[in-house]
Amino acid sequence: MTFPDLSAPSADVAAADLPAASLPAGGAELAAFIAGKLCHDFISPAGAIMSGLDLLEDPTAQDMRDDAMSLIRQSARKMVAHVHFARVAFGAATTSEQFVSTELRGLVAGLSEGGRATLDWRIADGETFTKPQARILINLAWMTLGALPTGGVATVTTRQDGDHLLLIGSAEGNRARLKPEAMTGLKGERLTEGLAGQWIQPYWLWLAVDEVAGRLDVACDEGRVGLIARTPA
């Protein structure tokens, strides 16, 4: 898989280069899309917790008590993982201005637990990242995992390139792919058709890169997907 030449100028990574109709109308619309995504992420584990509680209260289902408790515990862990991830990926993450590699790996691994894809985090434990870099990195890592719907390995690495830091995600699997809505978002373009839920996080990743005057590139080959964000070091 070959990435585009990062030393060459790009025509599709800066908001100023895009027509106004290609971008979300404003902050309120963007907030609505993100809120919708978060609700979608939270509703599944929340609903599973309620199902487990209903089983516990059902006098005819007492033989399923152990299964109900297991469902509640697993779903509660997933809910907490989503909240912790969202605080850094979409929110202000309290007052933290620096994040260490191990903390960020834990945020992504918490979401991927039990999934079909395997996370291969190849970033030194002591490496630190600014808040914007951390936001870019975990969104990029989660999208790399998401490119493997039937399983595979999502490798996350970093590399210094002069006065820039490259954040790299490489997905390898039999059906590695990015949906059309995701490709639209990664180009920084407004969604005109398809599912907004599949578009908003890729667009948010592009926006996070663009806001630090960085660059986001995508490479897709058969069985492989690569994402690379070039940010100021």
Side-chain angles (χ1 to χ4, degrees):
M1 178 171 54
T2 303
F3 281 108
D5 180 7
L6 291 179
S7 64
S10 175
D12 62 354
V13 295
D17 295 331
L18 293 170
S22 297
L23 299 174
E29 184 179 15
L30 183 62
F33 279 125
I34 294 175
K37 172 177 174 48
L38 293 177
C39 289
H40 178 271
D41 291 343
F42 296 157
I43 193 61
S44 179
I49 290 172
M50 291 303 301
S51 295
L53 292 173
D54 288 342
L55 283 174
L56 289 179
E57 295 175 354
D58 186 349
T60 66
Q62 292 306 299
D63 59 328
M64 300 181 65
R65 185 177 181 84
D66 289 344
D67 291 338
M69 289 302 300
S70 177
L71 176 63
I72 292 171
R73 283 192 294 267
Q74 180 181 2
S75 301
R77 285 196 297 268
K78 181 66 74 174
M79 173 69 84
V80 171
H82 273 295
V83 171
H84 287 322
F85 178 86
R87 289 177 69 242
V88 179
F90 298 103
T94 65
T95 59
S96 300
E97 295 296 334
Q98 294 284 333
F99 296 83
V100 296
S101 172
T102 50
E103 180 182 4
L104 299 177
R105 179 183 62 197
L107 294 176
V108 179
L111 290 186
S112 62
E113 182 180 355
R116 295 180 178 179
T118 300
L119 176 64
D120 184 7
W121 187 271
R122 299 186 183 181
I123 303 175
D125 289 347
E127 189 166 347
T128 61
F129 301 88
T130 64
K131 183 184 294 187
Q133 289 172 343
R135 178 172 296 156
I136 293 167
L137 179 58
I138 64 172
N139 276 286
L140 182 144
W142 184 235
M143 284 208 58
T144 304
L145 282 161
L148 297 167
T150 62
V153 178
T155 304
V156 180
T157 61
T158 61
R159 177 165 59 86
Q160 290 291 142
D161 182 23
D163 57 354
H164 287 84
L165 176 67
L166 306 185
L167 310 174
I168 305 165
S170 178
E172 297 190 35
N174 290 333
R175 295 183 62 188
R177 62 187 176 88
L178 290 170
K179 294 183 177 180
E181 296 94 332
M183 292 298 297
T184 298
L186 291 171
K187 295 176 183 177
E189 296 176 355
R190 184 185 181 90
L191 185 70
T192 56
E193 60 181 4
L195 300 175
Q198 301 292 338
W199 166 82
I200 182 57
Q201 190 166 8
Y203 176 80
W204 180 255
L205 172 58
W206 173 86
L207 185 63
V209 175
D210 185 72
E211 286 188 340
V212 297
R215 174 172 171 175
L216 180 63
D217 284 290
V218 184
C220 297
D221 292 332
E222 184 175 355
R224 301 184 71 187
V225 170
L227 300 170
I228 182 166
R230 181 184 179 92
T231 70

